């Protein structure tokens, strides 16, 4: 599993212009099961993606397709994580955060 930290290197108006395509990229990888969670960093200096898998090279290849990468407006730091514990409330917390962000309680994929 990897925590991917994105840091914007371009202007926010350029990032915003690419958001629709970036979200489509994320959705493709949610559908494939590779991405598990994503969102903006606060303050808005980039984003975070939680990704499944243990092949860093394969994940870097996927990230090269991100419109943010293609346009050169983001850098990526990959941190490999070997989870050993998780609180059972994590799914509830993710559901609450997603519902607050989207206004929809049905958005959580398991």
């Amino acid at each position: 599993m990897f925590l991917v930290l994105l840091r914007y290197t371009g202007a926010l108006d350029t990032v915003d212009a690419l958001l629709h395509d970036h979200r489509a990229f994320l959705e493709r990888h949610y559908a494939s099961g590779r991405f598990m969670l994503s969102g903006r960093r606060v303050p808005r200096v980039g984003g975070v993606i939680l990704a499944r898998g243990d092949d860093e090279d394969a994940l870097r290849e996927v990230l090269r397709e991100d419109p943010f990468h293609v346009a050169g407006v983001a850098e990526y730091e990959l941190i490999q994580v070997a989870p050993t514990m998780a609180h059972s409330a994590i799914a509830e917390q993710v559901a609450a955060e997603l519902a607050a962000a989207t206004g929809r309680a049905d958005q959580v994929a398991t």
Side-chain angles (χ1 to χ4, degrees), residues 38-54:
S38 60
R40 291 182 177 173
R41 291 172 60 180
V42 178
R44 191 173 175 208
V45 296
V48 175
I49 300 170
L50 184 61
R52 286 183 171 165
D54 60 0

Side-chain angles (χ1 to χ4, degrees), residues 49-107:
I49 300 170
L50 184 61
R52 286 183 171 165
D54 60 0
D55 185 337
E56 184 174 341
D57 291 334
L59 179 56
R60 287 190 185 280
E61 197 63 34
V62 166
L63 295 171
R64 284 185 190 96
E65 301 169 8
D66 183 353
F68 287 171
H69 173 78
V70 173
V73 298
E75 295 178 340
Y76 305 79
E77 178 184 358
L78 277 62
I79 301 168
Q80 191 165 13
V81 179
T84 55
M85 295 177 72
H87 191 282
S88 61
I90 194 166
E92 294 170 20
Q93 181 64 34
V94 169
E97 295 277 341
L98 220 69
T102 65
R104 294 181 56 191
D106 64 338
Q107 288 264 324

